[in-house]
Amino acid sequence: MAKKYTKKHEVSYYECDINQTMTFPSMLGIVIKTSEDQSDALERGSKFVNSFGLTWVITNYSMDITRLPKVGETISITTQAMEYNKFFCYRNFWIHDAQGQELVKIESVFVLMDFVNRKMSSVNEEIIAPFESEKIKKIKRQEKIENIESGMMLPYRVRFYDIDSNQHVNNAMYFNWIIDVLGYDFLTTHVPKKVLIRFDKEVEYGNEIESHYEQVTMADGIKTRHEIRMQDQLYCEANINWKKK
Amino acid sequence: MAKKYTKKHEVSYYECDINQTMTFPSMLGIVIKTSEDQSDALERGSKFVNSFGLTWVITNYSMDITRLPKVGETISITTQAMEYNKFFCYRNFWIHDAQGQELVKIESVFVLMDFVNRKMSSVNEEIIAPFESEKIKKIKRQEKIENIESGMMLPYRVRFYDIDSNQHVNNAMYFNWIIDVLGYDFLTTHVPKKVLIRFDKEVEYGNEIESHYEQVTMADGIKTRHEIRMQDQLYCEANINWKKK
């Protein structure tokens, strides 16, 4: 059974939007910090990983949201590097409230990238061993992300503060572009219950990206489909299921 | 002597830019959280202030930066509501490193605003008393902010995530627009040593603001002058002194 790691966090006003609940960039920032803290505790921090010429890249998130963390509450974030195969590492995160109720569950896919040739590397046993993840043969199939059929678009320029101390555009930032297009009226009357997102290519500083979106009415709520593009190239795609507030 | 309040904070990767140091929005977010925590501890939190139909608004910051907090270090943030007169409250903040060295000092001006008529209110004794600030007669003169003589401009749209849980555009967000215009090359070769900023009018969701700027060479480094405008209206003005890295 893979090692678990938990930390507590008090949700601040500046991590929340007008709905009094955490923004996706804030929530993912804290989630990833938890996995970094676990890695540091196991002496497998970024310096160790970098010493092999490698760096972690996240390719997918799948989130199930019972309710978003809200201003002032203390949450606990738990992470566990569940399984890995030749190329992919599967890491889960759970956010619980002070009473131990699950608020959010996130499944993620991490890969190791060679930072010279920017190519995916096979999983290095020395890096992964202390997490005690289960080694598996199969490649876990990710839930299908539906593409946009006929959408709308807003352009965004990648800003200096969108690049974080890890030297590239933090993929939590993609949510700034994905969420913003939906507009005030939608975002103050709907809450997300499920998110699927895949990061296909890295956006860089100075790029002008296009945030495409489309809204589809489902039997049990609304689904929004999203694509971050530059001209013909797809950089990121996402589906979000929403319910009425 | 006014009461002091201190909290510790571990600087996370997502609070830092590519220079490995804290961004202004992150730093101010934590600074203001510290004053909110002090207010809560003294039972003068936002609910109490709101019960008078009032809300705190920050009009000025003056920052002296010895060095910016960096990724991974634990800082302590201290705040003290120093003095007040009929309309203005003067609050200081200090950020220290783990060895007790001062990294940043921030002087700020707070006013109470009536949130129905959006007008400045005189300082309410019941709100201010527990902080034990000194009552003064004079209005403290703020250091002059130089206007732009001939500048450049980039436009920015106010995004959904720029409005925080306090229901308006968090004025730490103005730094997103102020800093971004300076560009990657400047921002990775210069560090700020002094910031003066004044918030004149509130920017609202959906506004398209103009971030004007100008760079002036001084004997001891570079000064940048900034104005956030919409057409003829000035919303915010700032001067930042920089030194070469």
Side-chain angles (χ1 to χ4, degrees):
Chain A
M1 181 80 158
K3 282 181 186 152
K4 280 191 181 180
Y5 185 91
T6 298
K7 72 181 289 185
K8 284 190 191 297
H9 178 77
E10 189 199 326
V11 181
S12 280
Y13 76 93
Y14 58 82
E15 295 168 333
C16 294
D17 65 26
I18 198 168
N19 296 313
Q20 315 290 314
T21 52
M22 275 187 112
T23 67
F24 284 107
S26 297
M27 195 164 68
L28 291 170
I30 281 152
V31 152
I32 297 311
K33 180 68 165 69
T34 307
S35 71
E36 291 192 353
D37 288 354
Q38 183 187 33
S39 300
D40 287 340
L42 298 173
E43 298 180 345
R44 292 299 179 273
S46 56
K47 272 194 192 132
F48 185 83
V49 176
N50 293 169
S51 74
F52 295 89
L54 300 175
T55 185
W56 287 112
V57 171
I58 298 163
T59 64
N60 292 74
Y61 287 117
S62 166
M63 308 186 202
D64 284 298
I65 302 163
T66 308
R67 83 167 165 79
L68 291 167
K70 57 185 187 224
V71 177
E73 78 175 327
T74 299
I75 54 175
S76 65
I77 306 102
T78 299
T79 187
Q80 193 174 19
M82 309 299 290
E83 299 158 323
Y84 69 107
N85 52 39
K86 190 171 180 203
F87 287 106
F88 300 100
C89 298
Y90 302 102
R91 181 183 274 279
N92 287 2
F93 299 92
W94 296 265
I95 300 178
H96 290 93
D97 69 10
Q99 287 71 48
Q101 293 294 309
E102 184 183 297
L103 304 183
V104 182
K105 180 182 177 187
I106 305 176
E107 297 183 356
S108 67
V109 183
F110 281 62
V111 299
L112 284 164
M113 190 182 70
D114 180 307
F115 55 60
V116 176
N117 66 20
R118 312 299 281 177
K119 290 214 169 103
M120 208 198 292
S121 158
S122 57
V123 174
N124 176 311
E125 292 288 341
E126 227 182 310
I127 293 174
I128 203 82
F131 297 95
E132 298 177 12
S133 309
E134 188 190 348
K135 186 164 191 174
I136 58 174
K137 288 263 184 231
K138 73 163 186 191
I139 292 176
K140 294 175 87 171
R141 199 167 292 283
Q142 300 299 307
E143 203 172 331
K144 189 174 157 39
I145 299 177
E146 296 167 10
N147 289 119
I148 290 175
E149 283 163 13
S150 77
M152 316 255 280
M153 189 276 279
L154 279 176
Y156 294 87
R157 191 158 18 86
V158 180
R159 301 177 182 174
F160 186 72
Y161 281 158
D162 295 333
I163 338 172
D164 71 12
S165 55
N166 294 331
Q167 316 280 332
H168 52 68
V169 177
N170 179 337
N171 59 24
M173 294 301 175
Y174 289 55
F175 279 94
N176 286 328
W177 310 318
I178 285 174
I179 292 300
D180 192 59
V181 293
L182 298 172
Y184 187 95
D185 290 345
F186 183 86
L187 292 168
T188 51
T189 52
H190 294 80
V191 288
K193 51 182 188 176
K194 184 173 171 180
V195 179
L196 296 175
I197 187 164
R198 187 167 80 213
F199 305 101
D200 299 295
K201 262 176 81 76
E202 287 190 299
V203 168
E204 283 167 18
Y205 175 76
N207 286 164
E208 173 128 349
I209 64 91
E210 303 159 6
S211 181
H212 294 261
Y213 64 107
E214 175 182 40
Q215 198 172 305
V216 189
T217 305
M218 318 274 287
D220 61 340
I222 284 171
K223 177 184 280 192
T224 55
R225 298 172 178 151
H226 302 267
E227 294 175 11
I228 304 296
R229 296 187 155 273
M230 277 192 279
Q231 293 85 44
D232 294 348
Q233 283 279 356
L234 183 60
Y235 282 73
C236 171
E237 51 202 304
N239 288 171
I240 309 178
N241 290 75
W242 304 82
K243 61 183 180 219
K244 276 258 182 202
K245 230 181 176 174
Chain B
M1 182 81 157
K3 283 181 184 149
K4 279 191 181 178
Y5 184 91
T6 298
K7 72 180 289 185
K8 284 191 191 300
H9 177 77
E10 188 198 328
V11 180
S12 280
Y13 77 94
Y14 58 82
E15 295 168 332
C16 294
D17 64 26
I18 198 168
N19 296 314
Q20 314 290 315
T21 53
M22 275 187 112
T23 68
F24 283 108
S26 296
M27 195 164 68
L28 291 170
I30 280 153
V31 151
I32 297 310
K33 180 67 165 70
T34 307
S35 70
E36 291 191 353
D37 287 353
Q38 182 187 35
S39 301
D40 287 340
L42 298 173
E43 298 179 346
R44 292 298 179 273
S46 57
K47 271 194 192 130
F48 185 83
V49 176
N50 293 169
S51 74
F52 295 90
L54 300 174
T55 186
W56 286 112
V57 171
I58 297 162
T59 64
N60 293 72
Y61 287 117
S62 168
M63 308 185 202
D64 284 298
I65 302 163
T66 308
R67 84 167 163 79
L68 290 168
K70 57 183 189 231
V71 178
E73 79 174 326
T74 298
I75 54 175
S76 65
I77 307 103
T78 299
T79 187
Q80 193 175 19
M82 308 300 290
E83 300 158 324
Y84 70 106
N85 53 37
K86 189 168 181 205
F87 286 105
F88 300 99
C89 297
Y90 303 102
R91 181 183 275 279
N92 287 3
F93 300 92
W94 296 265
I95 300 177
H96 290 93
D97 69 11
Q99 287 72 46
Q101 294 293 310
E102 184 182 297
L103 304 184
V104 182
K105 181 183 177 187
I106 304 176
E107 298 183 356
S108 67
V109 183
F110 281 63
V111 299
L112 283 163
M113 190 182 68
D114 180 307
F115 54 57
V116 176
N117 66 22
R118 309 301 281 179
K119 289 210 169 109
M120 208 199 291
S121 158
S122 57
V123 175
N124 176 308
E125 292 286 343
E126 227 181 310
I127 293 174
I128 203 81
F131 297 94
E132 298 177 13
S133 309
E134 188 191 346
K135 186 163 191 174
I136 57 173
K137 287 264 185 234
K138 73 163 187 193
I139 292 176
K140 293 174 87 169
R141 200 168 291 281
Q142 300 299 306
E143 202 172 332
K144 189 171 156 42
I145 299 177
E146 295 167 8
N147 289 118
I148 290 175
E149 283 163 15
S150 78
M152 316 254 281
M153 188 275 280
L154 279 177
Y156 293 87
R157 191 157 20 85
V158 180
R159 300 178 183 173
F160 186 71
Y161 280 158
D162 295 332
I163 340 173
D164 72 11
S165 57
N166 294 332
Q167 315 281 332
H168 52 68
V169 178
N170 180 336
N171 59 24
M173 293 301 174
Y174 289 55
F175 279 94
N176 285 328
W177 310 318
I178 286 174
I179 292 300
D180 193 59
V181 293
L182 298 172
Y184 187 94
D185 290 344
F186 183 86
L187 292 170
T188 51
T189 51
H190 294 80
V191 288
K193 50 182 188 175
K194 185 175 170 179
V195 179
L196 297 175
I197 187 164
R198 188 167 79 212
F199 305 100
D200 298 295
K201 262 175 84 73
E202 287 189 297
V203 168
E204 283 166 18
Y205 174 75
N207 286 164
E208 174 130 349
I209 64 92
E210 302 158 5
S211 182
H212 295 260
Y213 64 108
E214 175 182 40
Q215 199 172 305
V216 188
T217 305
M218 318 271 288
D220 60 340
I222 284 172
K223 178 184 278 191
T224 55
R225 299 173 178 152
H226 302 268
E227 295 176 10
I228 304 297
R229 297 189 154 272
M230 277 192 279
Q231 293 85 44
D232 294 348
Q233 283 279 357
L234 183 61
Y235 282 74
C236 171
E237 51 203 305
N239 287 171
I240 308 178
N241 291 76
W242 304 82
K243 61 180 182 223
K244 275 257 183 204
K245 228 180 176 175

